[in-house]
Amino acid sequence: MSELYALTGLRRVFAGREVLAIPALTIEAGLIYGLLGPNGAGKTTLMKLLAFLETPDEGQIVFRGRRVTPQNMAGFRSQVVWSPQSPVMFTGTLRDNVEYPLKLKKVANPERRRRALELLDLVGLAALAEAPARRLSGGEAQRGSLARALAAGAEVLLLDEPTANVDAQARRGLVNLVASLGRDLHLSIIITTHDTGLDAELCRKKIELRHGHLVAVEESLTRLGRLRVEGGRYTLAFQECESYGSLSVTALANHQDGVRLKLTTTDRRALEVRLEDPASLEAAGRLTLSDTLFPRSADDAVGG
């Protein structure tokens, strides 16, 4: 993985109060990160710095190997799009909104329209192309903002609480969409969220902030998985399939979003897998703490 951002000695101060202090942080390209922490932890401040909308009071940001300064930061903004919790939609149709960044680039009208419709189809909103943008639901507005970001040529998406104002069905669609954008378009994505399920479903790594300070940067070991019983043998397929060997079940817990299995790998690492499809839930009902699971091949991995 190549380095996307490198932050060093970063500080941000408002009204004499330090709201962000990060001695060092490296963010890799091509991954989905979760930016976690309670309200007031400094998540939004960090996102604005990463989007080049603000400058730090101290320290430096290096983006793709180039140091960001007040003089050159505007040139980086086309590569990074920050989508706030409630995306702002302009007057006019949804297609008009997606065409807007293409219009700024002086793309000719026929090509602009073609590209906008192509992107709306990609995010599942082709049928709403001519709908008034300001009448979209929360989930539709989030999808529309993603299409607009892609029209701007963004390679980095910064998503602020994307599932906060959507219902369960829209949430599932958004999760699938973000996962596919990251995977198929090789985008780098950073998500702030209080939705703990997103860590399992989307984020390869997580950054945790508290009171403006960096608490941890670590790989997310939670995976979304499918459990099957075949000839009395339990097999498990999950995202980011690796060579774990056999998996010992250490705990099972029912949550609103499905059954969670806590496992121990043969090299004593802890692993958590969340199950949600009906066949997995049925299989989990027969599982006991004495059972051993066997991972499937990478070809069978969820999302693979």
Side-chain angles (χ1 to χ4, degrees):
M1 293 291 177
S2 61
E3 183 178 275
L4 183 65
Y5 291 95
L7 282 53
T8 308
L10 212 65
R11 289 185 74 238
R12 193 76 171 96
V13 178
F14 288 116
R17 184 174 70 89
E18 183 181 76
V19 297
L20 193 67
I22 298 178
L25 173 63
T26 299
I27 297 174
E28 298 175 65
L31 299 182
I32 300 179
Y33 280 78
L35 180 54
L36 311 177
N39 290 335
K43 300 189 300 295
T44 299
T45 300
L46 178 56
M47 291 287 262
K48 288 181 178 179
L49 292 172
L50 297 178
F52 313 119
L53 299 176
E54 294 182 357
T55 56
D57 296 292
E58 294 180 17
Q60 71 173 24
I61 299 174
V62 174
F63 179 69
R64 295 192 184 280
R66 294 181 59 193
R67 181 172 180 177
V68 179
T69 68
Q71 292 72 37
N72 68 12
M73 64 188 297
F76 294 114
R77 287 180 188 145
S78 63
Q79 300 176 58
V80 181
V81 170
W82 176 46
S83 180
Q85 182 174 330
S86 299
V88 176
M89 286 290 166
F90 312 133
T91 55
T93 67
L94 176 58
R95 177 174 57 80
D96 292 332
N97 272 259
V98 178
E99 284 191 26
Y100 180 71
L102 298 171
K103 187 180 294 186
L104 293 179
K105 294 180 178 181
K106 303 189 183 303
V107 176
N109 186 49
E111 174 61 17
R112 198 167 67 221
R113 180 186 179 93
R114 184 198 68 77
R115 180 63 175 150
L117 292 175
E118 182 181 81
L119 289 171
L120 286 172
D121 183 57
L122 178 66
V123 301
L125 292 179
L128 295 177
E130 304 306 322
R134 290 189 172 178
R135 295 185 184 177
L136 298 175
S137 68
E140 291 164 350
Q142 285 286 356
R143 287 172 173 266
S145 72
L146 290 175
R148 189 169 58 192
L150 295 175
E155 299 174 15
V156 182
L157 299 181
L158 308 177
L159 309 180
D160 193 358
E161 297 284 354
T163 61
N165 299 315
V166 301
D167 60 26
Q169 182 175 356
R171 178 193 178 282
R172 168 52 47 203
L174 271 172
V175 167
N176 291 338
L177 174 59
V178 172
S180 67
L181 291 177
R183 180 181 65 247
D184 300 338
L185 301 184
H186 308 291
L187 300 179
S188 304
I189 303 173
I190 303 174
I191 304 171
T192 67
T193 184
H194 288 92
D195 182 347
T196 56
L198 282 184
D199 179 34
E201 295 166 279
L202 285 175
C203 303
R204 173 70 178 272
K205 291 194 174 184
K206 55 187 177 183
I207 302 166
E208 186 175 357
L209 298 176
R210 289 189 184 276
H211 305 297
H213 293 269
L214 185 64
V215 175
V217 181
E218 57 190 19
E219 183 175 359
S220 173
L221 287 178
T222 307
R223 300 287 183 255
L224 190 67
R226 292 192 296 255
L227 181 66
R228 298 288 185 269
V229 183
E230 300 169 350
R233 174 184 171 119
Y234 289 91
T235 58
L236 182 68
F238 49 91
Q239 289 176 329
E240 305 295 342
C241 191
E242 301 174 31
S243 299
Y244 287 113
S246 60
L247 303 169
S248 301
V249 183
T250 55
L252 297 91
N254 287 300
H255 287 258
Q256 185 175 4
D257 58 356
V259 173
R260 290 180 185 270
L261 306 176
K262 290 189 177 180
L263 311 166
T264 302
T265 67
T266 50
D267 60 0
R268 308 308 298 169
R269 282 187 289 169
L271 178 70
E272 184 174 281
V273 175
R274 187 171 70 80
L275 310 174
E276 64 174 5
D277 66 289
S280 290
L281 300 182
E282 181 182 350
R286 289 176 272 168
L287 192 63
T288 71
L289 296 185
S290 62
D291 284 310
T292 298
L293 308 186
F294 300 91
R296 295 186 178 194
S297 67
D299 292 338
D300 293 325
V302 175

